[in-house]
């Protein structure tokens, strides 16, 4: 199984990466190698093993429904590149 | 022209009524200044970790029990990856492969016929923030107060067959979640939001047609109108030999059309994977039992109780239990008036007409249940007449701060129920009409009304008409 140039471009777009053409070429090889390794793993018979959603055998910790976070806007906005009237400003989203 | 059948499935997001967010301790209250309720976790600073809110889990389980669903003893939070500025982490924490609630049903009733809609699943997830595109020149403003608000996404099977059923489904879901107390049901504030998947097929065909998704139809009326519009559009396309394209569309209520959403369709690949920050959500039997034990009364149960406990007709009980606030109002008013039928009539009649006139819900009624109960009690005990009660309600509606006793005195609404005074008035009337009195004594019962009227006139409307008529009857018998 090999990765095409188009696959790499799609993955880059999803990851919001602007990929130069020559970089894409090296990724094709790297990703093909990764898939080869995964294919090897898939040869192992896992039909009798439950899927493992988390590497550790632990449960989700739950907290009670209490307000523990007071307003902290000015502190958080002091490190934001751009804010106005309490909003974070980002480049215009056309949608 | 073929006979078409519409196939509809709804995805409804309900905002769970917790105080704090699903993965942080910031407030979920509506209407705060922008970003005043967005903490380190909600703005997704690097290194922060989500901790799940127990109450959100409890509410999801409550919903599952109410619709007869299965509750997964182990469910998984996953990352749904997509890029949008009001989602600062770059992913939404949601559930995908193993949601907390699976299965269950909800019945719809349209024109008297019951139709059961299967629920595929309900899963917990976090809401995104809000983007303002028009407020700032050249920029988009981001408010993250809503980011992290707990949502329960309820996905129906494609079992719905008409726009009317879809609207009824949404109304019944709204009623259920407000009865359960897991959602405030405030549609204007987006507490219940609906997307609809709509497709058409020739009646009798098993295979499903290509569907479109209608986004953000957030009122009962728009669910119905939006789906009707989309059904008509798809039939037009199909009957003119075209094909329906699978896409996301928006309903424009002003022009009553649906139109495709621009762009974004090509790269929809959410690359779900289990969130390494959140190990599996494991529920014990004790926990689920504790939710089951502490279960609120549901609409149908409450209706039956109203019929047996208060001896109300099914119609009255159904009307009172249509929404939880109305049923609560009714029971609170009963604390002051020992007359369920009377209180029911006042709520469904006089009070409803005031609410409808102003288009407000009973929870915003200017006359509270205590006051309404006292009005009914005053009418029942004969302190004021039924007509006086209506005057009292109209004044109280304008000036809710006034006390009921003050109004009764200042408006002179107190009925004369002193039998001595009434006897004297009857004497006067009888003395003035000896011939009529004779005819009455001879058995002309119709004349009772005439004499009651005469006495009421003399009392200037303040005598209790029932008492007057009782005394007159007694007098002619003796």
């Amino acid at each position: 199984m090999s990765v095409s140039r188009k696959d790499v471009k799609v993955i880059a777009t999803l990851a919001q990466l602007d990929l130069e053409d020559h970089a894409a070429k090296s990724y094709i090889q790297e990703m093909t190698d990764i898939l080869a390794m995964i294919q090897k793993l898939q040869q192992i018979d896992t039909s009798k093993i439950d899927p493992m959603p988390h590497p550790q055998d632990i449960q989700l910790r739950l907290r009670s429904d209490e307000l523990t976070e007071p307003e902290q806007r000015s502190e958080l906005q002091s490190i934001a590149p751009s804010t106005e009237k309490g909003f974070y400003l980002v480049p215009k989203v056309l949608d | 022209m073929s006979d078409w059948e519409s196939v509809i499935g709804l995805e409804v997001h309900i905002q769970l009524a917790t105080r704090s967010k699903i993965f942080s301790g910031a407030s979920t209250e509506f209407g705060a200044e922008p970003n005043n309720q967005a903490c380190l976790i909600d703005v997704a600073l690097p290194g922060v970790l989500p901790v799940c809110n127990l109450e959100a889990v409890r509410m999801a389980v409550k919903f599952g029990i109410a619709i007869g669903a299965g509750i997964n003893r182990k469910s998984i939070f996953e990352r749904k990856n997509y890029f949008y500025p009001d989602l600062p982490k770059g992913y939404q924490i949601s559930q995908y492969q193993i949601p907390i609630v699976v299965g269950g049903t909800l019945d719809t009733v349209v024109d008297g016929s019951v139709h059961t809609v299967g629920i595929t699943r309900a899963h917990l997830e976090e809401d995104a923030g809000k983007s303002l595109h028009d407020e700032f020149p050249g920029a988009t403003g981001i408010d993250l107060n809503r980011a992290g608000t707990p949502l329960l996404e309820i996905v129906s099977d494609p079992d719905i067959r008409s726009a009317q059923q879809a609207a009824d489904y949404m109304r019944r879901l709204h009623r259920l979640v407000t009865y359960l107390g897991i959602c405030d049901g405030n549609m204007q504030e987006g507490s219940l939001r609906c997307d609809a998947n709509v497709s058409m097929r020739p009646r009798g065909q098993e295979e499903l047609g290509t569907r479109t998704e209608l986004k953000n139809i957030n009122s009962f009326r728009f669910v119905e109108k939006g789906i009707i519009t989309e059904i008509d559009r798809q039939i037009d396309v199909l009957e003119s030999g075209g094909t329906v394209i699978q896409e996301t569309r928006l309903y424009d209520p002003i022009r009553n059309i649906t139109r495709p959403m621009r762009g974004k369709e090509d790269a929809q690949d959410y690359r779900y994977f289990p969130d390494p920050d959140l190990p599996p959500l494991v529920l014990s039997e004790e926990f689920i039992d504790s939710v089951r034990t502490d279960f609120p009364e549901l609409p149908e149960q409450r209706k039956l109780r109203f019929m047996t406990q208060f001896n109300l007709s099914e119609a009255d009980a159904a009307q009172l239990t249509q929404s939880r606030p109305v049923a609560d109002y009714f029971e609170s008013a009963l604390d002051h008036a020992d007359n369920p039928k009377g209180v029911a009539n006042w709520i469904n009649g006089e009070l409803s007409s005031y609410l409808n006139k102003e288009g407000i819900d009973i929870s915003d009624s200017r006359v509270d249940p205590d006051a309404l109960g006292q009005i009914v009690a005053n009418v029942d005990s004969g302190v004021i007449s039924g007509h006086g009660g209506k005057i009292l309600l109209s004044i109280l509606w304008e000036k809710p701060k006034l006390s009921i006793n003050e109004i009764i005195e200042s408006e002179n609404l107190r009925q004369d129920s002193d039998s001595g005074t009434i006897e004297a008035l009857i004497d006067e009337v009888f003395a003035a009409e000896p011939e009529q009195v004779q005819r009455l004594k001879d058995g002309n019962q119709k004349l009772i009304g005439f004499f009651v009227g005469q006495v009421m006139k003399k009392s200037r409307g303040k005598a209790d008409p029932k008492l007057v008529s009782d005394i007159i009857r007694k007098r002619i018998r003796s």
Side-chain angles (χ1 to χ4, degrees):
Chain A
M1 194 174 170
S2 70
V3 176
S4 69
R5 170 176 291 271
K6 198 179 155 210
D7 294 332
V8 172
K9 287 279 184 192
V10 169
I11 293 164
T13 306
L14 288 170
Q16 303 287 310
L17 292 175
D18 188 10
L19 209 57
E20 304 278 343
D21 272 0
H22 67 272
K25 207 172 169 187
S26 67
Y27 282 125
I28 291 173
Q29 189 54 50
E30 286 181 36
M31 288 183 179
T32 305
D33 291 349
I34 292 170
L35 282 185
M37 187 182 74
I38 297 213
Q39 248 168 349
K40 205 167 187 180
L41 288 174
Q42 279 177 334
Q43 289 166 6
I44 303 164
D45 178 12
T46 56
S47 58
K48 294 198 174 68
I49 300 172
D50 282 339
M52 188 176 63
H54 197 269
Q56 284 167 289
D57 187 19
I58 50 173
Q59 300 183 6
L60 189 66
R61 187 164 65 89
L62 296 167
R63 48 168 247 280
S64 62
D65 184 24
E66 280 161 28
L67 303 182
T68 52
E69 298 290 338
E71 195 238 297
Q72 46 204 273
R73 184 173 84 183
S74 55
E75 216 177 337
L76 288 172
Q77 297 206 332
S78 70
I79 56 169
S82 176
T83 61
E84 197 178 321
K85 294 180 185 162
F87 289 88
Y88 293 95
L89 293 193
V90 299
K92 184 109 181 157
V93 180
L94 295 170
D95 190 58
Chain B
M1 198 164 105
S2 327
D3 183 15
W4 296 98
E5 180 179 55
S6 47
V7 177
I8 301 160
L10 296 184
E11 292 170 15
V12 179
H13 287 86
I14 66 161
Q15 261 179 28
L16 296 175
T18 56
R19 298 174 62 215
S20 67
K21 294 186 177 174
I22 184 166
F23 296 117
S24 86
S27 170
T28 55
E29 201 171 320
F30 183 83
E33 289 293 301
N35 292 302
N36 265 7
Q37 291 170 184
C39 70
L40 291 167
I41 292 169
D42 308 321
V43 306
L45 287 195
V48 298
L49 284 172
V51 186
C52 188
N53 187 336
L54 168 68
E55 208 47 42
V57 173
R58 195 194 305 278
M59 288 175 176
V61 171
K62 205 177 238 183
F63 177 76
I65 294 171
I67 60 163
I71 311 293
N72 271 325
R73 301 310 193 252
K74 191 179 195 178
S75 63
I76 309 294
F77 283 107
E78 304 203 31
R79 293 184 178 182
K80 177 181 182 179
N81 298 279
Y82 68 96
F83 182 79
Y84 207 75
D86 57 25
L87 186 77
K89 289 195 297 298
Y91 59 86
Q92 177 193 27
I93 304 177
S94 181
Q95 294 190 303
Y96 187 56
Q97 289 193 61
I98 309 180
I100 185 164
V101 172
V102 275
T105 57
L106 195 72
D107 285 347
T108 65
V109 185
V110 174
D111 297 333
S113 79
V114 180
H115 180 78
T116 302
V117 177
I119 308 287
T120 315
R121 56 188 276 152
H123 64 255
L124 283 165
E125 63 183 26
E126 58 178 347
D127 208 344
K130 272 184 183 162
S131 300
L132 256 80
H133 299 296
D134 303 324
E135 185 82 4
F136 307 99
T140 292
I142 306 290
D143 175 9
L144 296 173
N145 282 347
R146 203 182 62 184
T149 298
L151 300 177
L152 188 67
E153 178 174 340
I154 301 155
V155 182
S156 86
D157 294 337
D159 281 350
I160 299 167
R161 292 289 172 268
S162 71
Q164 293 74 18
Q165 271 177 12
D168 188 64
Y169 171 90
M170 198 168 159
R171 280 199 189 87
R172 282 169 197 275
L173 196 59
H174 179 270
R175 190 173 74 155
L176 178 63
V177 297
T178 49
Y179 258 90
L180 289 170
I182 64 173
C183 177
D184 68 16
N186 193 323
M187 311 286 284
Q188 284 79 36
E189 295 174 6
S191 296
L192 207 107
R193 310 199 286 268
C194 180
D195 304 332
N197 290 302
V198 180
S199 68
M200 306 301 301
R201 64 182 171 193
R203 198 173 296 280
Q205 177 182 304
E206 192 66 22
E207 194 190 336
L208 294 172
T210 306
R211 67 185 160 86
T212 60
E213 185 177 9
L214 268 189
K215 281 273 182 203
N216 293 326
I217 32 181
N218 295 335
S219 75
F220 302 126
R221 205 157 59 89
F222 289 170
V223 165
E224 185 163 342
K225 289 183 71 180
I227 292 176
I228 288 175
T229 308
E230 180 59 13
I231 288 173
D232 289 347
R233 186 193 73 87
Q234 288 190 14
I235 292 178
D236 281 351
V237 168
L238 293 166
E239 292 194 341
S240 61
T243 48
V244 173
I245 303 162
Q246 181 166 348
E247 63 185 351
T248 305
R249 300 180 70 89
L250 284 175
Y251 174 60
D252 177 347
I254 296 164
R255 295 164 62 198
N256 199 33
I257 55 163
T258 71
R259 55 182 165 78
M261 275 174 86
R262 268 178 294 163
K264 278 216 308 188
E265 285 301 311
D266 48 350
Q268 286 293 27
D269 178 353
Y270 294 127
R271 293 155 295 149
Y272 282 96
F273 66 92
D275 190 331
D277 290 341
L278 295 158
L281 169 59
V282 176
L283 302 176
S284 66
E285 298 307 317
E286 294 77 53
F287 177 77
I288 293 168
D289 283 345
S290 76
V291 179
R292 218 185 285 278
T293 329
D294 175 37
F295 218 71
E297 193 178 31
L298 295 180
E300 194 61 20
Q301 295 167 322
R302 201 165 189 182
K303 186 183 97 182
L304 294 174
R305 177 167 65 82
F306 278 13
M307 289 165 67
T308 51
Q309 182 179 346
F310 302 129
N311 208 13
L312 292 176
S313 70
E314 180 165 8
D316 281 342
Q319 203 168 353
L320 289 171
T321 52
Q322 225 165 45
S323 89
R324 182 173 174 175
V326 173
D328 288 346
Y329 190 103
F330 169 73
E331 292 206 77
S332 301
L334 279 187
D335 289 346
H336 298 272
D338 186 21
N339 177 2
K341 176 67 186 161
V343 171
N345 288 345
W346 277 84
I347 290 176
N348 292 337
E350 205 70 10
L351 184 70
S352 283
S353 74
Y354 280 98
L355 296 172
N356 293 340
K357 217 179 291 166
E358 301 200 10
I360 56 175
D361 286 333
I362 202 163
S363 27
D364 299 321
S365 169
R366 295 217 285 273
V367 173
D368 64 26
D370 292 349
L372 190 87
Q374 287 174 44
I375 292 174
V376 178
N378 274 304
V379 173
D380 287 347
S381 64
V383 173
I384 56 176
S385 65
H387 180 65
K390 287 181 183 175
I391 295 172
L392 184 48
L393 180 61
S394 74
I395 293 168
L396 212 52
W397 187 264
E398 295 308 324
K399 297 170 181 165
K401 294 262 155 58
L402 291 181
S403 97
I404 289 195
N405 286 332
E406 268 169 33
I407 301 174
I408 290 176
E409 297 314 326
S410 67
E411 297 296 316
N412 220 0
L413 297 176
R414 188 177 291 280
Q415 290 193 116
D416 214 328
S417 52
D418 173 357
S419 51
T421 323
I422 291 173
E423 297 268 7
L425 291 174
I426 291 173
D427 286 343
E428 282 180 40
V429 172
F430 274 19
E433 305 280 356
E435 285 170 32
Q436 304 287 34
V437 173
Q438 196 48 54
R439 288 173 60 197
L440 180 64
K441 284 185 172 165
D442 291 344
N444 188 341
Q445 291 290 321
K446 281 182 195 153
L447 283 168
I448 288 184
F450 164 76
F451 280 107
V452 172
Q454 292 295 309
V455 175
M456 291 306 289
K457 207 191 258 174
K458 278 205 180 294
S459 78
R460 298 202 190 108
K462 283 165 67 186
D464 177 351
K466 190 174 171 304
L467 189 63
V468 173
S469 121
D470 286 349
I471 295 174
I472 292 175
R473 280 171 208 280
K474 219 179 283 168
R475 291 270 291 263
I476 56 173
R477 257 185 269 125
S478 58

